[in-house]
Amino acid sequence: MSREKLSKIVDEAINKAAQEGKLPPFKPPRISLERPKRKEHGDWATNIAIKLASQLKMNPHAVAEIIASFVDAPEDVLSSVEVAGQGFINFHLAPEFLREILFEIDERKEKFGSSGLGKGERVQIEFVSANPVGPLHIGHGRWAAFGDSLARVMEHAGYNVEREFYINDYGTQMRNFGESISARYLQLLKQKVEWPEGGYRGNYITEIAKRIISEHGESFKSLSDQERTNHFIEMEYPLMLESIKKTLDRVGVHFNAWTSERELYRSGEVNETLSFLEEKEDAYRNEGALWLRTSRYGDEKDRVLIRSNGEPTYFASDIAYHRNKMNRGFDRIIDIWGADHHGYVARMKAAMKAMGYDPEKLEVILGQLVKLYRGGEPVTMSKRTGDLITLDELLDEVGTDAARYFFLQRSNDSPLDFDIEFAKKESPENPVYYVQYAHARISSILRHAEEKGTDTERPSRREVELLNSEPEMDLMRKLAELEELVEFCAEKRAPHRLTTYAEELASSFHVFYRDCRVVTEDAPLTRARLFLVECTREVLRIVLRLLGVSAPERM
RNA sequence: GCCCCCGUAGCUCAAAUGGAUAGAGCGACUGCCUUCUAAGCAGUAGGUUGCAGGUUCGAGUCCUGCCGGGGGUACCA
């Protein structure tokens, strides 16, 4: 029973009651249905009677009784309709109806829970987008996990999703990168150098410099600083990008498209964009710089596009980038940024308007930052300190499954405290194992059945009726929630809710496992329970897949 | 100063257009393995949802003010 169908039934009940004069005339209200927290309140509940009562100046309980008496649904769908509390109407689904979910799962397999909500809308999600000037750190890991799971859940909800990584391979950070390598290179060759302003002090820079010396010796020493820096940038950033890709591979994140900032310059798109803005007089010169009139479009002040020294800002190429994305025909583009870019949102939306695009098509999801601790002591994530905890190191310590699950447990606008020691120590207790264990247990049951040569025929509908105990019904109810959950996670951009569901489903299974032996001498019951268990495994697999976590056969 | 996010059990966090008795995990304590995996199950303890008002039949959720933490407020990215 979907929310939609049930709300139609309630709507009909209200109209019929009104037609027969049991309710005075009223303005038709919006019917809301919710999943009650408490089991005894049924599978669905509506507060419509309470809402109507104040309009009708009637007792809510009485209104509820009238509406409930007009609810017309087959008994094998709704087993009971009750009035409770201050006037809630509670609906209990019939066991026959709940059992149908098993046949649906069996038929749709890995597509179960998917829906047409997204209507094939083309959505692009851009995330991680790290500067290729150093290894990915823990914060990137959080956005990689979040962005990828959001993409997966939106795909399951019927959106056509593309994942994109924007490579910031142009400008200040790249120069800092090259200058840092150059400085380390000269230092290793015993030359005194002034440390570059904004240089990266991370150990990986020293490693790169050492490798350059071992491969090329002192051959770059004689170059001018400028030449050497440029040379090192060109040599090293592609390698850094490769290593970033490898790390993303380890967390199971695969991008469909990689767009390069320098390519936007090379192709002339940045210039085209700026000319376009100048022509429509949204850009103007002042104090030697080129400004965008963002204040005209809702930003608090105007922003610089080209500095007085002639260099474009990051903002300039970012506008060109968003124009590029919009021209690729997406219905919606989602940018996932760290919360430290919050001040940038109004600016980018203003730029969208200036470019003539609907700013509503750009959705920015801000993620609170990850704070890193080691044994209770804060660890800075600055690339400059050299005390850098990389995503690779984290993956080495806690594993991919635990890392992804951990990152996804919290809502994106809640800051994440990540204690390395704690994650390491507690990893065997991590809820991810609880969920995976349910999957492994099911696999074990199925192996056991196979070894015993048990008949694994699909049960008939009559045999499935043997599934009628409390734990069995609860488990089926949980299975039936998946589609609704997927739609919720997709619409609210809240993949973290998948983890809660996964744990609830695992819990329902573990309870079932304790109370109901699957493989027994009773052939029909065994067939029915094996069916239930296989369906549960299918749904666990789907959820784990959406989370990007593996579903082990054994643990 | 102004803008955004957060404040829920000892700890880390959930909680659907505002709903009925605010939930998990970890940690603590008590039981349960001759039977498909005990990485499990059942139970106990733990709360004035930061504070004060307001709206509502009804507030963790919405509004106002305050307190505390974080972030932003660049011709950085």
Side-chain angles (χ1 to χ4, degrees), chain A residues 292 294 299 301 303 315 343-352:
Chain A
L292 181 63
T294 40
D299 195 8
K301 60 182 215 181
R303 308 290 177 176
F315 187 41
Y344 202 74
V345 179
R347 198 181 306 191
M348 198 63 238
K349 292 244 184 194
M352 288 281 288

Side-chain angles (χ1 to χ4, degrees), chain A residues 304-318:
Chain A
V304 172
L305 294 167
I306 297 180
R307 287 175 271 233
S308 45
N309 68 7
E311 279 199 49
T313 60
Y314 179 78
F315 187 41
S317 55
D318 216 14

